């Protein structure tokens, strides 16, 4: 298995506070990885660094062992094949549910291509397929602003899938979802692994257990430990900083 | 897919068409007794403003770029056309110099500056009407959008841009007639500029330009690109994470809008008979924003309507109490922002929707 994403001794501070501290992490192609850790551990900041939103002060971030992600901006990372679901669900509120998906679909992103774009039948079919998957088929013509918090989470997952990224960065997808929905999300993410590489951040331990994958524990911007969920939850340090709270 | 001509666009274009036919006939066929000649030019001026408002609505209403410098693009278009009209005067100026406009003779210049070259040709000038504002918008946008200047900072630098241009155009050395600007035009394309027929012709051209401008703006804003503009307006950062280079989209719409504003300016100059640095004044650019807000931001037709209504109100009001116009305008703006977030167009449409509800059968029959 080849390493898909590699963080190598990454540092980043904000006003003297080291949000990311010598962070090293390797994720294989097709792997499903859960990242857990207390609030402020730097999980979201890590995703910001991978997607070019935040530049590291030092350290390397490598894509497919060849592309230097620290030199690439947000749009560039998306074009490489990195898709992101945000902690705070952000959908385009004035657009309809369907349009949100349509705009996310993998397609040419240039100004001229979008100016003259006409929706193809294949695209229309894919949109319907995705809407059915995230169970928003009945709401497709409603403005996204009308959706509940949980539905927005689903819409954002649909938008993420529409991009058909190679790597999915999924930040707290289960927040605002019912237990049944949470389990369905875990199932969906598991089904993506293999074909896609997936990194999931989540606080919900039942959800992480359902993912049934390797877990990385982040604390103060550094990897505390890594391994199966049972392995890391037996770690006294992890219990002290996170699980035992 | 949304249709190019929706209900409101259809109604507006129909109204515009009636005006385009009725005004010249009312003027020419009745010897100016039904529609006086000055009214023709006045209405033509309103339509120029309407086109300018549509241009601003594309960037502000759809892409969220609050440009407070669109007056500059309008004025540049106006100057480009003014330069051609100056050249058309030929040797009929006060100094009867066949090679130089009067103001250059007055400043005892020997020859035409290089940047006046080519303006003898109407088509060259028409090209410049769009190219000059477009190029300025491109340069400005290239730097501003790439450095991710947004919101109020962007608005402030657009104000600075138009103010700087105003100061520059005031200077005689610039070669654009200093504070007098360009005026005393005689002909346009060989037709005497003061004649009723020419005025009517200019009015019709402006109406056509407005209709085309609206349709182009509508085509752009209903395209996939237009939807991305709205994404940028509502959640710029999120749009980047979907792989869209936001700078490119902003630059595109900013340049298209500046060109449209330039065309509006070019049609304005022959109808009012003068273009001077006052058109660059920061207050003018702010007024355009008020038109759009008042008419209904992000609706195109509303922006055009807002421009016409405010210009009409200004004409009437300045006739009655000239000193109070700015207060009235400011007051109007505050009232609209507080009570009519969707502008006048929103108010009209809601009123109609309410009236229609009790009789759904009628509505269906009509549609
Ligand atoms: N742009 C920024 N400017 C200043 N400080 C920041 C910035 N981004 C993150 N931080 C700080 O970095 C630290 C890590 O934040 P981050 O959001 O990555 O935590 P997290 O692990 O995602 O936490 P949570 O579980 O609450 O989402 C926090 O102390 C935060 O305040
Ligand atoms: Mg976070």
């Amino acid at each position: 298995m080849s390493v898909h994403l590699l963080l190598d001794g990454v540092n980043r501070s904000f006003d003297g506070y080291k949000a990311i501290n010598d962070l090293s992490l390797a994720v294989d192609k097709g792997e499903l990885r859960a990242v857990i850790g207390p609030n402020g551990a730097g999980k979201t900041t890590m995703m910001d660094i991978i997607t070019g939103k935040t530049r590291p002060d030092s350290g390397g971030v490598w894509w497919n062992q060849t592309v230097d992600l620290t030199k690439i901006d947000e749009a560039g990372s998306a074009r490489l094949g990195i898709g992101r679901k945000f902690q705070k669900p952000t959908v385009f509120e004035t657009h309809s549910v369907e349009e949100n998906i349509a705009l996310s679909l993998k397609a040419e992103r240039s100004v001229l291509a979008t100016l003259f774009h006409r929706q193809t039948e294949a695209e229309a079919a894919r949109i319907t397929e995705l809407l059915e998957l995230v169970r928003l088929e009945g709401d497709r013509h409603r403005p996204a602003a009308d959706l509940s918090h949980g539905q927005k989470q689903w819409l954002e997952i649909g938008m993420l899938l529409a991009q058909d990224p190679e790597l999915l960065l999924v930040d707290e997808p289960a927040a605002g979802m019912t237990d049944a929905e949470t389990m369905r999300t875990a199932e969906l993410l598991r089904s993506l692994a293999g074909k896609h590489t997936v990194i999931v951040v989540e606080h919900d331990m039942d959800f992480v257990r359902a993912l049934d994958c390797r877990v990385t524990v982040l604390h103060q911007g550094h990897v505390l430990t890594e391994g199966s969920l049972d392995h890391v939850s037996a770690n006294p340090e992890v219990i002290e900083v996170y699980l035992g709270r | 897919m949304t249709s190019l001509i929706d209900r409101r666009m259809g109604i507006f274009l129909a109204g515009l068409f009636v005006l385009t036919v009725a005004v010249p006939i009312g003027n020419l066929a009745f010897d100016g007794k039904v529609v006086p000649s000055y009214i023709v030019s006045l209405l033509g001026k309103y339509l120029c403003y309407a086109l300018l408002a549509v241009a601003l609505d594309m960037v502000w209403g759809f892409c969220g770029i609050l440009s407070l410098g669109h007056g500059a693009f309008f004025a540049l278009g106006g100057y480009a056309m003014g330069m051609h009209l100056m050249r058309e005067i030929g040797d009929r100026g006060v100094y009867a110099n066949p090679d130089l406009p009067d103001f250059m003779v007055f400043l005892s210049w020997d020859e035409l500056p290089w940047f006046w070259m080519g303006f003898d040709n109407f088509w060259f000038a028409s090209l410049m009407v769009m190219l000059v504002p477009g190029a300025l918008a491109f340069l400005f946008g290239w730097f501003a959008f790439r450095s991710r200047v947004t919101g109020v900072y962007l608005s402030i630098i657009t104000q600075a841009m138009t103010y700087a241009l105003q100061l520059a155009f005031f200077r005689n050395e610039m070669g654009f007639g200093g504070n007098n600007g360009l005026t005393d035009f005689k002909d346009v394309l060989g037709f005497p500029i003061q004649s009723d027929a020419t005025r009517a012709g200019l009015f019709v051209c402006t109406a056509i330009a407005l209709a085309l401008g609206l349709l182009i703006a509508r085509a752009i804003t209903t395209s996939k690109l237009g939807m991305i503009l709205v994404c940028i307006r509502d959640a710029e950062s999120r749009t980047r994470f979907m792989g869209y280079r936001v700078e490119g989209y902003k630059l595109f719409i900013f340049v298209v809008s500046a060109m449209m504003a330039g065309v509006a300016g070019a049609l304005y100059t022959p109808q009012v008979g003068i273009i001077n640095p006052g058109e660059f004044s920061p207050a003018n650019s702010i007024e355009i924003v008020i038109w759009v807000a008042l008419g209904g931001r992000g609706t195109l037709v509303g922006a055009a309507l807002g421009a016409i209504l405010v210009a009409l109100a200004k004409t009437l009001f300045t006739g009655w109490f000239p000193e109070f116009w700015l207060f009235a305008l400011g007051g109007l703006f505050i009232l609209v922002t507080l009570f009519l977030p969707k502008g006048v167009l929103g108010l009209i449409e809601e009123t109609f929707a309410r009236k229609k509800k009790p009789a759904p059968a009628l509505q269906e029959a009509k549609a």
Side-chain angles (χ1 to χ4, degrees):
Chain A
M1 278 254 206
S2 61
V3 175
H4 201 181
L5 178 75
L6 176 73
L7 277 78
D8 184 16
V10 176
N11 288 288
R12 171 71 207 216
S13 18
F14 294 107
D15 310 316
Y17 173 73
K18 278 197 135 236
I20 297 291
N21 184 10
D22 191 24
L23 174 64
S24 294
L25 182 78
V27 180
D28 284 338
K29 202 160 228 154
E31 188 184 342
L32 170 60
R33 175 72 64 94
V35 176
I36 61 172
N39 295 110
K43 306 180 294 292
T44 301
T45 309
M46 178 186 82
M47 294 191 170
D48 287 345
I49 287 174
I50 297 169
T51 52
K53 185 182 184 215
T54 300
R55 300 251 174 260
D57 299 329
S58 63
V61 187
W62 297 94
W63 172 251
N64 282 328
Q65 295 160 325
T66 46
V67 182
D68 183 355
L69 288 179
T70 61
K71 303 247 179 327
I72 281 171
D73 66 0
E74 300 97 312
S77 76
R79 287 174 184 208
L80 271 181
I82 302 178
R84 197 169 165 182
K85 198 208 88 54
F86 292 82
Q87 184 166 354
K88 177 174 164 285
T90 28
V91 296
F92 299 106
E93 310 240 321
T94 49
H95 285 317
S96 69
V97 169
E98 175 184 86
E99 285 166 343
N100 269 276
I101 300 281
L103 291 169
S104 312
L105 278 183
K106 189 174 196 163
E108 171 84 55
R109 261 29 175 172
S110 75
V111 170
L112 286 183
T114 53
L115 180 59
F116 296 109
H117 175 267
R118 289 275 166 280
Q119 194 170 83
T120 62
E121 280 188 20
E123 285 176 326
R126 178 79 182 129
I127 292 170
T128 305
E129 193 185 321
L130 284 163
L131 285 173
E132 278 164 3
L133 181 70
V134 297
R135 300 190 180 172
L136 288 170
E137 169 64 10
D139 301 290
R140 65 188 299 164
H141 298 298
R142 287 170 70 195
D146 289 359
L147 300 183
S148 70
H149 188 81
Q151 284 177 314
K152 282 183 186 167
Q153 293 276 39
W154 279 111
L155 177 55
E156 221 193 339
I157 291 171
M159 290 163 71
L160 182 61
L161 296 177
Q163 281 186 57
D164 191 24
E166 285 180 42
L167 168 67
L168 288 80
L169 302 174
V170 191
D171 203 349
E172 303 199 19
M177 284 188 179
T178 62
D179 287 350
E181 282 181 318
T182 304
M183 286 308 128
R184 220 162 71 73
T185 312
E187 208 176 291
L188 175 68
L189 292 174
R190 273 182 55 183
S191 74
L192 292 172
K195 263 187 3 197
H196 306 259
T197 308
V198 186
I199 301 179
V200 193
V201 165
E202 190 48 72
H203 286 294
D204 183 333
M205 278 306 137
D206 292 332
F207 176 82
V208 177
R209 185 164 297 282
L211 287 178
D212 187 25
C213 67
R214 198 175 167 83
V215 178
T216 299
V217 185
L218 228 59
H219 178 50
Q220 294 178 345
H222 190 76
V223 175
L224 198 60
T225 178
E226 222 170 75
S228 71
L229 183 60
D230 289 331
H231 172 83
V232 301
S233 14
N235 184 316
E237 268 188 293
V238 176
I239 295 172
E240 191 194 320
V241 304
Y242 187 47
L243 298 174
R245 287 175 313 160
Chain B
M1 203 56 223
T2 24
S3 64
L4 188 62
I5 300 182
D6 60 350
R7 197 187 166 78
R8 56 164 79 126
M9 180 70 85
I11 295 174
F12 187 87
L13 289 181
L16 186 63
F17 180 75
V18 170
L19 205 67
T20 314
V21 174
V23 169
I25 292 179
N27 175 250
L28 298 176
F30 301 95
D31 229 13
K33 288 196 190 69
V34 177
V35 179
S37 299
Y38 83 93
I39 292 285
V40 178
S41 294
L42 192 67
L43 290 177
K45 190 171 93 169
Y46 292 176
L47 297 188
C48 291
Y49 290 157
L51 183 57
L52 176 57
V54 172
L56 182 74
D57 197 26
M58 280 199 289
V59 293
W60 182 42
F62 290 86
C63 196
I65 303 169
L66 177 52
S67 165
L68 293 179
H70 256 55
F73 303 129
F74 178 83
L76 286 173
Y79 264 95
M81 186 47 69
M83 286 162 77
H84 170 69
L85 299 176
M86 291 302 277
R87 301 303 293 146
E88 262 202 73
I89 298 173
D91 60 5
R92 289 169 293 171
V94 179
Y95 298 105
N97 185 319
D99 299 321
L100 293 182
D102 275 352
F103 76 88
M104 291 189 193
V105 181
F106 182 76
L107 293 170
S108 34
W109 290 9
D110 308 325
E111 56 176 19
L112 205 62
W114 62 267
F115 48 84
W116 275 75
M117 298 293 171
F119 277 91
D120 310 40
N121 184 302
F122 175 80
W123 303 110
F124 175 83
S126 304
L127 202 62
M128 288 303 134
V129 157
M130 290 190 278
L131 281 190
V132 173
L136 175 67
F138 185 87
L139 264 179
F140 183 92
W142 176 267
F143 289 108
F145 301 145
R146 265 167 50 106
S147 348
R148 301 199 180 177
V149 181
T150 54
V152 67
Y153 299 99
L154 189 93
S155 302
I156 290 171
I157 56 172
T158 52
Q159 274 268 284
M161 173 189 76
T162 194
Y163 187 56
L165 282 168
Q166 185 183 21
L167 295 182
F169 273 73
F170 262 127
R171 300 168 61 89
N172 282 328
E173 308 90 277
M174 276 288 283
F176 298 106
N179 62 345
N180 296 321
L182 309 175
T183 186
D184 292 330
F185 311 130
K186 305 275 190 265
D187 299 334
V188 53
L189 280 173
F191 300 104
I193 209 157
Q194 300 282 4
S195 83
D196 286 350
T198 311
R199 285 176 182 226
L202 285 167
F203 174 81
V204 172
C205 288
T206 313
I208 293 172
L210 175 58
L212 282 179
L214 274 167
L215 290 174
I216 291 171
R218 174 88 183 147
I220 292 176
T221 53
T222 52
S223 71
K224 186 172 179 184
L225 179 139
M227 298 210 296
I228 295 162
L229 295 180
V230 173
C231 291
I232 295 171
R233 179 191 75 191
D234 294 345
E236 179 169 333
S237 166
R238 181 72 180 83
T239 314
R240 292 181 196 277
F241 284 107
M242 290 199 329
Y244 294 107
R245 286 252 144 71
V246 165
E247 306 73 42
Y249 288 87
K250 287 185 172 177
L251 198 56
F252 172 81
I253 201 66
F254 198 58
V255 169
V256 170
S257 166
M259 289 172 141
M260 195 179 282
V263 172
L267 288 159
Y268 173 86
T269 302
Q271 296 187 81
V272 299
I274 182 168
I275 180 85
N276 64 29
E279 297 299 335
F280 284 105
S281 91
N284 275 20
S285 290
I286 293 175
E287 204 173 317
I288 309 167
V289 173
I290 298 181
W291 301 339
V292 176
L294 209 126
R297 185 186 164 198
T299 61
L300 301 176
V301 168
L305 204 63
I308 295 170
L309 289 178
V310 175
L312 183 67
K314 186 177 186 172
T315 305
L316 298 176
F317 212 91
T318 45
W320 301 327
F321 335 87
E323 314 86 79
F324 296 112
W325 166 244
L326 276 181
F327 295 102
L329 184 64
L332 210 58
F333 181 59
I334 293 169
L335 285 179
V336 168
T337 6
L338 286 181
F339 300 110
L340 296 177
K342 288 183 191 157
V344 173
L345 187 72
L347 179 72
I348 295 174
E349 289 184 344
E350 270 161 33
T351 316
F352 270 89
R354 221 172 294 139
K355 267 193 194 151
K356 281 222 177 95
K357 264 202 185 121
L362 187 76
Q363 197 178 347
E364 267 171 30
K366 263 191 182 168

